[in-house]
């Protein structure tokens, strides 16, 4: 049986155009799936799976190429033969993000600036957070709301329940960089200008090292080393 590495969590982010250059990493089954989609959806699917395969190899090694990516009945992606490895994928416009977690459930979400609406505010911000948002300059409000929305969705993805029946908001300051909620810990990252990214994972009492890898947008085979972002204790605000 293949030995999985130490407790670790990798978040990778890339422009869609950079991720699709790694389409050769898709399995034969995934390539056939992509061919069956309409062009826009095929490009999005290819970018997500290519970046996920890229991140899996950097977390686990090339042997993971044979592992099939499946979905639960609620749509959460899972590794069919490696249930102890958490995975998650997110898209926003022409940007894609993935997370790979050893020994943990994980959820990731990336989002560009999101103009406030009454529905969004009530869905992902507490009354106090809405007050904090209201006093920000108008040009900062869309970015601040995007941060809260990514937290909201990353936590939902980590639990595997999705957002359809997810009425709760998350405590803490509007612009907090991290916190805990129930059995999850979450962190907000900003890998690219104008984009917010949040990652959530379970077992918050266990130490974790969160690594962030950015795939270069220029031509050529990118192999950037991950930037270490150590986290040795729960962050709570």
């Amino acid at each position: 049986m293949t030995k999985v590495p130490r407790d670790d969590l990798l978040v990778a982010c890339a422009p869609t155009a950079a991720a699709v250059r790694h389409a050769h990493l898709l399995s034969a089954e995934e390539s056939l799936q992509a061919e069956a989609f309409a062009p826009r959806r095929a490009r999005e699917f290819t970018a997500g799976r290519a970046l996920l395969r890229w991140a899996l190899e950097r977390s686990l090694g090339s042997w993971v190429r044979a592992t099939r990516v499946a979905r639960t009945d609620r749509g959460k992606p899972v590794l069919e033969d490696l249930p102890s490895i958490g995975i998650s994928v997110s898209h926003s416009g022409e940007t894609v993000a993935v997370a790979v977690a050893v020994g943990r459930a994980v959820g990731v979400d990336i989002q560009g600036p999101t103009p406030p609406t009454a529905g969004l505010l009530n869905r992902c911000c507490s009354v106090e957070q809405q007050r904090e948002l209201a006093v920000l300059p108008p040009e900062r409000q869309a970015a601040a709301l995007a941060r809260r929305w990514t937290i909201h969705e990353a936590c939902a993805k980590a639990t595997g329940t999705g957002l359809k029946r997810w009425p709760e908001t998350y405590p803490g300051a509007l612009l907090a960089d991290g916190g805990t909620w129930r059995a999850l810990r979450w962190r907000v990252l900003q890998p690219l200008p104008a984009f917010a990214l949040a990652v959530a994972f379970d077992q918050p009492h266990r130490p974790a090292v969160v690594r962030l890898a950015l795939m270069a947008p220029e031509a050529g085979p990118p192999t950037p080393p991950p930037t270490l972002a150590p986290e040795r204790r729960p962050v709570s605000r």
Side-chain angles (χ1 to χ4, degrees):
M1 184 175 182
T2 305
K3 182 180 178 182
V4 298
R6 62 183 172 79
D7 187 48
D8 208 355
L9 194 156
L10 173 63
V11 177
C13 183
T16 297
V20 296
R21 295 204 312 272
H22 293 262
H24 63 278
L25 296 176
L26 272 64
S27 68
E29 179 185 12
E30 290 166 341
S31 295
L32 287 174
Q33 284 180 274
E35 290 175 7
F37 293 134
R40 183 174 179 179
R41 172 59 182 140
R43 188 167 182 268
E44 180 183 79
F45 175 84
T46 299
R49 286 300 172 90
L51 186 61
L52 178 61
R53 294 287 182 184
W54 184 87
L56 282 167
E57 287 201 21
R58 275 149 185 78
S59 293
L60 305 173
S62 60
W63 60 267
V64 79
R65 289 183 186 180
T67 301
R68 184 174 182 269
V69 178
R71 288 189 177 273
T72 67
D73 56 359
R74 290 180 177 267
K76 180 177 175 61
V78 293
L79 295 181
E80 199 168 66
D81 301 322
L82 294 169
S84 67
I85 307 298
I87 57 174
S88 186
V89 181
S90 178
H91 301 268
S92 181
E94 284 293 298
T95 307
V96 58
V98 304
V100 177
V102 177
R104 300 176 190 264
V106 69
V108 71
D109 191 63
I110 190 166
Q111 181 66 51
T114 306
T117 65
L120 271 178
L121 289 173
N122 291 331
R123 191 168 188 180
C124 66
C125 293
S126 67
V127 173
E128 181 57 37
Q129 289 161 359
Q130 291 183 45
R131 292 194 191 103
E132 293 180 67
L133 185 71
V135 300
L136 290 177
E139 65 272 13
R140 292 187 59 197
Q141 291 185 8
L145 183 57
R147 286 171 63 95
R148 294 310 302 185
W149 180 252
T150 59
I151 297 165
H152 193 72
E153 190 155 343
C155 287
K157 289 180 177 182
T159 64
T161 61
L163 289 171
K164 290 185 178 179
R165 296 184 180 180
W166 205 255
E168 299 184 53
T169 58
Y170 301 95
L174 176 71
L175 299 178
D177 291 326
T180 58
W181 177 81
R182 292 191 180 181
L184 298 175
R185 190 190 316 178
W186 54 265
R187 291 186 65 184
V188 175
L189 309 172
Q190 190 155 5
L192 297 171
F195 281 90
L197 184 151
V199 60
F201 47 95
D202 66 359
Q203 303 177 59
H205 58 283
R206 289 172 52 198
V209 174
V210 179
R211 298 183 294 146
L212 175 62
L214 304 180
M215 185 178 280
E218 62 271 8
T223 54
T227 300
L228 292 180
E231 182 181 39
R232 294 299 181 182
R233 60 181 183 280
V235 176
S236 182
R237 298 184 184 182

